[in-house]
């Protein structure tokens, strides 16, 4: 699986958009970009994933650059409850066995401040 | 959230004693995983299962064994606990892509905090 690079920490004001970057310059054509988050002391939670098109769901938007070497997770209106560690992970699409495993880096610690 | 429970949620034990952690799911997901999380390391995969009685090693499997005798339960055993195994352990499940058409999101349990003295 491709490696990802994320800033170790970011701050965001409550109610503003939080934009979390991720670099994955060695991503392969069959690898998806996944985002998970982990709120303090809880298990990680899936947020969103994408291949090459921008994606949006009820939690967030994912913007992937045209060359697919980087992406940005956008939380449009951050709340205090969004304070968490956010993990960007790339993984192949077709999986059975070990191809389905997630490799977590250290992520970005997002602090949403009042 | 998928119905994933872990037991016990907290455990303190002594070096050299055997410990078994249980992960139970009610979603009939095919794949199950055990991770450990330590400061400075993030989550690391210990073992995983891709079906009943089908398991394989992850990144940090030394000192751990697993068993899966039925779909809903995945057991993690520390045969002889050591202080280096003090950690928070997370179980996760994943449905089959073929069954649900999902892209394989993993669902995590609440974690078990294990302290080995």
């Amino acid at each position: 699986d491709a490696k990802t690079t994320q800033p170790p920490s970011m701050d965001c004001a409550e109610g503003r958009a939080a934009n979390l970057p991720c670099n994955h310059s060695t991503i392969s054509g069959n690898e998806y970009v996944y985002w998970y988050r982990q709120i303090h002391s809880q298990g990680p939670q899936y947020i969103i994933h994408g291949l090459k098109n921008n994606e949006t769901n009820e939690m967030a938007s994912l913007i992937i650059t045209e060359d697919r070497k980087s992406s940005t997770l956008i939380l449009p209106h951050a709340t205090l409850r969004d304070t968490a560690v956010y993990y960007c992970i790339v993984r192949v699409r077709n999986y059975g066995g070990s191809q389905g495993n997630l490799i977590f880096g250290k992520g970005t610690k997002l602090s949403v401040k009042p | 959230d998928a119905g994933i429970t872990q037991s016990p949620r907290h455990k303190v034990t002594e070096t050299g004693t055997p410990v078994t952690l249980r992960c139970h799911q009610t979603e009939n997901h095919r794949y199950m995983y055990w991770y450990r999380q330590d400061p400075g390391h993030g989550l690391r995969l210990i073992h995983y299962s891709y079906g009943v009685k089908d398991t394989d090693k992850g990144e940090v499997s030394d000192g751990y064994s697993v068993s899966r005798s039925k779909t809903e339960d995945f057991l993690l055993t520390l045969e002889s606990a050591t202080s280096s195994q003090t950690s928070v352990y997370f179980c996760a499940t994943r449905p089959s892509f073929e069954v649900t058409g999902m892209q394989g999101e993993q669902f995590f349990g609440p974690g078990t905090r294990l302290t080995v003295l």
Side-chain angles (χ1 to χ4, degrees):
Chain A
D1 289 343
K3 292 185 178 180
T4 62
T5 304
Q6 299 178 254
S9 64
M10 293 181 64
D11 290 340
C12 178
E14 188 178 21
R16 303 298 293 270
N19 297 283
L20 292 92
C22 179
N23 288 319
H24 32 78
S25 59
T26 60
I27 192 170
S28 300
N30 63 345
E31 287 182 316
Y32 281 69
V33 180
Y34 287 79
W35 283 84
Y36 282 73
R37 74 178 182 184
Q38 186 174 23
I39 297 171
H40 182 63
S41 299
Q42 299 180 20
Q45 175 190 23
Y46 164 82
I47 301 173
I48 199 168
H49 74 275
L51 181 63
K52 55 183 178 181
N53 298 319
N54 297 339
E55 302 287 346
T56 296
N57 63 19
E58 65 278 5
M59 290 182 67
S61 295
L62 175 60
I63 308 298
I64 303 173
T65 58
E66 190 170 346
D67 63 7
R68 301 207 328 120
K69 293 185 177 181
S70 65
S71 60
T72 301
L73 178 74
I74 301 172
L75 308 178
H77 304 287
T79 71
L80 300 179
R81 291 191 298 272
D82 292 321
T83 292
V85 178
Y86 288 77
Y87 298 98
C88 171
I89 301 166
V90 294
R91 194 182 73 193
V92 296
R93 173 184 180 180
N94 296 315
Y95 34 74
S98 63
Q99 288 182 315
N101 300 340
L102 295 172
I103 299 176
F104 286 82
K106 297 185 179 180
T108 296
K109 180 174 175 54
L110 175 68
S111 298
V112 181
K113 300 182 183 298
Chain B
D1 289 343
I4 304 171
T5 56
Q6 293 184 230
S7 58
R9 294 293 313 281
H10 302 272
K11 186 172 182 65
V12 179
T13 191
E14 294 187 350
T15 297
T17 60
V19 176
T20 295
L21 307 182
R22 180 182 184 232
C23 178
H24 179 78
Q25 57 134 335
T26 59
E27 300 295 320
N28 200 37
H29 288 175
R30 176 181 176 184
Y31 299 93
M32 297 186 75
Y33 306 82
W34 276 108
Y35 294 86
R36 61 177 288 175
Q37 185 170 36
D38 306 290
H41 286 280
L43 282 93
R44 293 180 292 174
L45 182 67
I46 305 172
H47 281 279
Y48 64 96
S49 169
Y50 45 96
V52 173
K53 297 186 179 180
D54 290 325
T55 66
D56 206 346
K57 297 179 179 180
E59 176 188 359
V60 289
S61 60
D62 287 348
Y64 301 94
S65 62
V66 290
S67 65
R68 191 166 178 205
S69 59
K70 46 187 177 179
T71 299
E72 56 266 36
D73 289 326
F74 193 32
L75 304 181
L76 177 71
T77 297
L78 292 65
E79 300 290 348
S80 178
T82 67
S83 59
S84 65
Q85 293 175 313
T86 292
S87 187
V88 180
Y89 292 85
F90 287 101
C91 171
T93 71
R94 174 168 72 85
S96 296
F97 172 78
E98 297 81 7
V99 172
T100 66
M102 297 172 67
Q103 292 302 315
E105 299 88 340
Q106 289 190 17
F107 300 89
F108 285 80
T112 293
R113 184 172 295 277
L114 176 67
T115 302
V116 183
L117 302 175

